[in-house]
């Protein structure tokens, strides 16, 4: 091979940023992986001119609902084709949607179902977090360990939603099994009884409008549940990730738990940083577009949550893309006059997550470029067992790369998902990904999709990375020595 043919592709002249460093370098790519980082790389292969642009790790979207029946039994608008395409246009080269176990279904059946949904359609690499709604003896002793061995190393539980919630004993069982195998348990933390109790009274009083969704999901419901979830995780010394934290009180619980030695991670989402509960008051039924759980809060909450993004309380800012159209297939599946209790929960955002975070975070000086990289890709790769193959720009890593134009201004409009609305419509957003690569292949370039359904590969994930977590001792990853292994059923 001649020296000039050493690379299949060189990204030339850009500014590379990782979670820790920013530097000028060309990126040499061979067989889908990064093999050189240096100035002046020559090649006989392809060249992408990245001068004046940022060369960042491709985003990893770690919280999205794709082709997954909701707690109300509703299918979202996006399947693995449209969902992955929208993710790619938003600068992501990998995502981890949920594989949701329906009660009565085994874990093995659940995983097989999601394989059949994802493999033929995804244009980007993917894995799943396994939602456990039915922790039977078989699931705990055999099926969760089997899923783990197959590279599905994160399990999610719900403390609310009738069709999904588990009780505290079941939660402990799952935490203990997860701990024994090095898996991470994620939790949707809201106090179910509080929500039910308030909702019943609101409906009895004739309060059915979207705005009452926020009233029925008070901050206290989140804070109580986060406190309980952290306490359960501490009991068995298991790692826990609290998803979509929407309250300053919840964020403080996560922060304080880490400070006092618990292995607790936190995630928030763009909707809690950029939208408020006032959006639920939009005229007509428009407020339904902004119903999600936990609900949107207020301006003061936005500011407080930004503080926690800046200070590192949150390891992840994920979209919680849960796309239900503004029609009878989605939001109004229960009819045009559906009450706030019947309107589908969730909103889209998989394509807007990174541009919003870049524009309002990096360009407005709230976070550094390196923090942006950590929040968009590196932390997810570490926490969810994909690092260093994914989530960074380094020799040997997959060439999952997003090239950004930090100065490009767009007014947010229609996205590439299957939705009929964008909650961020009309937002002025500065900084967009212009070229996205997955394992060295262009998947988006100059506004065009270059990948085909089925190009994405399943990522076999490793155990949760607890490096640097407070209280971490090497022994804790040894299944022979930990408490979870001894009590796991
Ligand atoms: O309202 C939301 N976020 N719906 C999606 C399901 C969930 O709670 O994560
Ligand atoms: Zn949730
Ligand atoms: Zn969610």
């Amino acid at each position: 091979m001649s020296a000039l043919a050493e690379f299949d592709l060189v990204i030339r002249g850009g500014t590379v940023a990782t979670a820790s460093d920013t530097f000028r370098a060309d990126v040499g790519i061979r067989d889908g992986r990064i093999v050189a980082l240096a100035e002046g790389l020559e090649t006989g292969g392809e060249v992408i001119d990245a001068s004046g642009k940022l060369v960042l790790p491709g985003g990893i979207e770690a919280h999205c609902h794709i082709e997954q029946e909701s707690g109300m039994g509703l299918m979202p608008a996006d399947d693995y084709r449209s969902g992955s395409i929208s993710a790619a246009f938003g600068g992501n080269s990998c995502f981890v949607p949920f594989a949701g176990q329906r009660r009565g279904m085994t874990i093995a059946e659940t995983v097989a179902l999601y394989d059949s949904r994802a493999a033929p359609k995804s244009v980007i690499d993917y894995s799943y977090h396994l939602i456990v709604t039915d922790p039977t003896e078989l699931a705990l002793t055999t099926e969760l360990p089997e899923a783990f061995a197959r590279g599905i190393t994160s399990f999610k539980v719900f403390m609310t939603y009738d069709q999904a919630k588990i009780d505290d004993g079941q939660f402990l069982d799952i935490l203990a099994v997860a701990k024994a195998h090095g898996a991470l348990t994620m939790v949707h933390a809201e106090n179910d009884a509080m929500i039910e109790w308030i909702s019943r009274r609101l409906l009895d009083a004739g309060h059915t409008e979207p705005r009452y969704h926020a009233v029925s999901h008070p901050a206290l419901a989140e804070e109580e549940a986060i406190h309980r979830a952290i306490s359960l995780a501490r009991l068995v010394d298991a790692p826990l990730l609290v998803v979509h934290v929407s309250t300053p009180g919840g964020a403080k619980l996560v922060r304080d738990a880490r400070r006092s030695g618990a292995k607790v991670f936190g995630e928030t989402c763009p909707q809690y940083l950029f939208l408020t509960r006032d959006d639920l008051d939009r005229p007509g039924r428009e407020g339904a577009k902004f119903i999600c759980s936990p609900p949107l809060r207020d301006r003061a909450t936005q500011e407080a949550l930004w503080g926690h993004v800046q200070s590192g309380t949150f390891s992840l800012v994920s979209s919680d893309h849960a796309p239900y159209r503004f029609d009878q297939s989605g939001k109004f599946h229960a009819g045009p006059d559906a009450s706030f209790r019947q309107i589908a929960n969730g909103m889209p955002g998989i394509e807007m997550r990174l541009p919003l975070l870049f524009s309002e975070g990096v360009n407005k000086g709230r976070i550094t470029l390196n923090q942006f990289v950590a929040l968009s890709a590196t932390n997810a790769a570490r926490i969810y067992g994909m690092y260093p193959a994914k989530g960074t720009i380094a020799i040997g890593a997959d060439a999952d790369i997003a090239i950004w134009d930090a100065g490009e201004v767009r007014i947010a409009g229609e996205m590439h998902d299957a939705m009929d609305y964008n909650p961020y419509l009309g937002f002025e957003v500065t900084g967009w990904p212009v070229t996205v690569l997955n394992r060295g292949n262009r998947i988006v370039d100059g506004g065009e999709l270059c990948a085909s359904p089925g190009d994405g590969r399943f990522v076999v994930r490793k155990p949760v990375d607890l490096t640097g977590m407070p209280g971490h001792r090497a022994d804790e990853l040894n299944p022979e020595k930990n408490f979870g292994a001894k009590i796991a059923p």
Side-chain angles (χ1 to χ4, degrees):
M1 190 193 286
S2 83
L4 279 186
E6 197 180 344
F7 310 113
D8 303 324
L9 171 66
V10 168
I11 301 171
R12 189 173 286 157
T15 299
V16 176
T18 68
S20 56
D21 300 298
T22 306
F23 51 94
R24 295 296 294 269
D26 300 343
V27 182
I29 296 166
R30 191 171 59 231
D31 297 331
R33 293 192 309 135
I34 297 166
V35 293
L37 284 169
E39 287 182 295
L41 291 182
E42 294 295 335
T43 183
E46 260 193 280
V47 173
I48 294 176
D49 178 9
S51 6
K53 308 251 178 11
L54 297 172
V55 179
L56 310 181
I60 299 176
E61 170 58 71
H63 185 155
C64 52
H65 301 269
I66 307 291
E67 216 169 333
Q68 177 223 326
E69 293 83 353
S70 73
M72 291 176 172
L74 211 61
M75 196 51 122
D78 282 311
D79 64 6
Y80 272 82
R81 188 189 148 282
S82 60
S84 65
I85 289 172
S86 189
F89 275 95
N92 300 285
S93 47
C94 179
F95 66 168
V96 191
F98 296 98
Q101 181 194 28
R102 291 198 300 273
R103 292 207 181 106
M105 219 173 159
T106 66
I107 300 287
E109 284 164 349
T110 306
V111 172
L113 176 64
Y114 281 84
D115 284 343
S116 74
R117 289 175 174 177
K121 295 189 208 150
S122 188
V123 304
I124 62 176
D125 288 352
Y126 62 93
S127 177
Y128 331 108
H129 310 292
L130 191 52
I131 293 176
V132 185
T133 59
D134 200 3
T136 60
E137 191 71 13
L138 178 72
L140 294 169
T141 56
T142 311
E143 291 203 314
L144 286 178
E146 277 171 6
F148 179 82
R150 221 197 133 214
I152 298 171
T153 57
S154 44
F155 310 144
K156 183 180 178 194
V157 299
F158 285 84
M159 298 170 85
T160 184
Y161 294 137
D162 282 346
Q163 295 182 34
K165 69 180 181 221
I166 52 156
D167 65 30
D168 291 354
Q170 292 172 318
F171 196 166
L172 281 168
D173 283 342
I174 293 165
L175 284 162
V177 171
K179 158 127 178 136
H181 293 275
L184 176 65
T185 306
M186 306 156 73
V187 63
H188 176 129
E190 285 186 286
N191 180 304
D192 188 61
M194 286 187 190
I195 296 167
E196 285 295 320
W197 194 89
I198 300 177
S199 298
R200 211 172 330 112
R201 275 153 185 79
L202 286 169
L203 293 175
D204 286 349
H207 298 311
T208 59
E209 293 305 308
R211 70 187 312 274
Y212 293 104
H213 175 71
V215 181
S216 68
H217 288 246
L220 264 178
E222 177 172 287
E223 291 158 9
E224 185 284 326
I226 292 178
H227 183 270
R228 183 156 36 101
I230 290 172
S231 305
L232 297 173
R234 294 188 83 149
L235 183 73
V236 292
D237 191 28
L240 180 75
L241 190 143
V242 186
V243 299
H244 53 44
V245 177
S246 69
T247 55
K252 279 189 199 140
L253 288 165
V254 169
R255 182 197 63 195
D256 293 347
R258 281 164 78 114
R259 281 189 183 159
S260 61
K263 298 167 187 65
V264 176
F265 302 93
E267 171 201 81
T268 193
C269 309
Q271 50 271 40
Y272 306 117
L273 299 172
F274 302 113
L275 302 172
T276 69
R277 60 190 291 171
D278 291 346
D279 289 304
L280 293 166
D281 287 327
R282 291 206 195 185
R285 307 242 70 207
E286 290 275 309
K289 294 179 177 173
F290 300 90
I291 285 189
C292 62
S293 296
L296 303 179
R297 310 287 181 186
D298 57 15
R299 286 250 172 260
T301 298
Q302 286 184 345
E303 285 314 308
L305 293 180
W306 268 112
H308 286 283
V309 170
Q310 291 165 322
S311 65
T313 299
F314 295 121
S315 305
L316 304 171
V317 176
S318 309
S319 73
D320 195 4
H321 181 76
Y324 300 102
R325 290 169 65 93
F326 190 61
D327 62 23
Q328 71 289 348
S329 73
K331 289 286 179 186
F332 300 110
H333 68 107
D337 300 321
S339 74
F340 69 88
R341 283 293 277 169
Q342 299 162 310
I343 292 169
N345 260 267
M347 64 172 73
I350 204 164
E351 195 168 335
M352 293 294 302
R353 170 183 79 115
L354 294 180
L356 282 170
L357 187 62
F358 190 93
S359 186
E360 294 295 313
V362 181
N363 276 337
K364 295 216 169 139
R366 289 180 169 116
I367 54 173
T368 66
L369 179 60
N370 309 103
Q371 279 178 300
F372 172 80
V373 172
L375 291 164
S376 64
T378 315
N379 292 349
R382 278 188 186 282
I383 291 169
Y384 293 122
M386 295 184 270
Y387 190 84
K390 302 220 176 274
T392 192
I393 293 185
I395 306 292
D398 285 355
D400 286 4
I401 291 171
I403 302 174
W404 283 69
D405 181 341
E408 183 173 334
V409 182
R410 290 188 209 163
I411 305 299
E414 220 175 290
M415 296 287 107
H416 294 82
D417 54 18
M419 287 297 290
D420 55 357
Y421 77 92
N422 176 354
Y424 307 100
L425 185 73
F427 276 46
E428 184 178 295
V429 178
T430 305
W432 287 86
V434 287
T435 303
V436 184
L437 308 180
N438 183 202
R439 284 178 282 103
N441 300 311
R442 287 179 217 230
I443 52 174
V444 166
D445 199 14
E448 299 295 325
L449 178 71
C450 316
S452 302
D455 284 353
R457 277 193 208 151
F458 177 76
V459 181
V460 177
R461 294 188 285 124
K462 296 178 291 187
V464 52
D465 182 355
L466 295 174
T467 310
M469 283 303 279
H472 171 61
R473 301 185 309 273
D475 270 0
E476 288 167 355
L477 287 178
N478 179 347
E480 293 307 310
K481 292 189 181 172
N482 71 42
F483 179 47
K486 292 197 183 90
I487 63 164

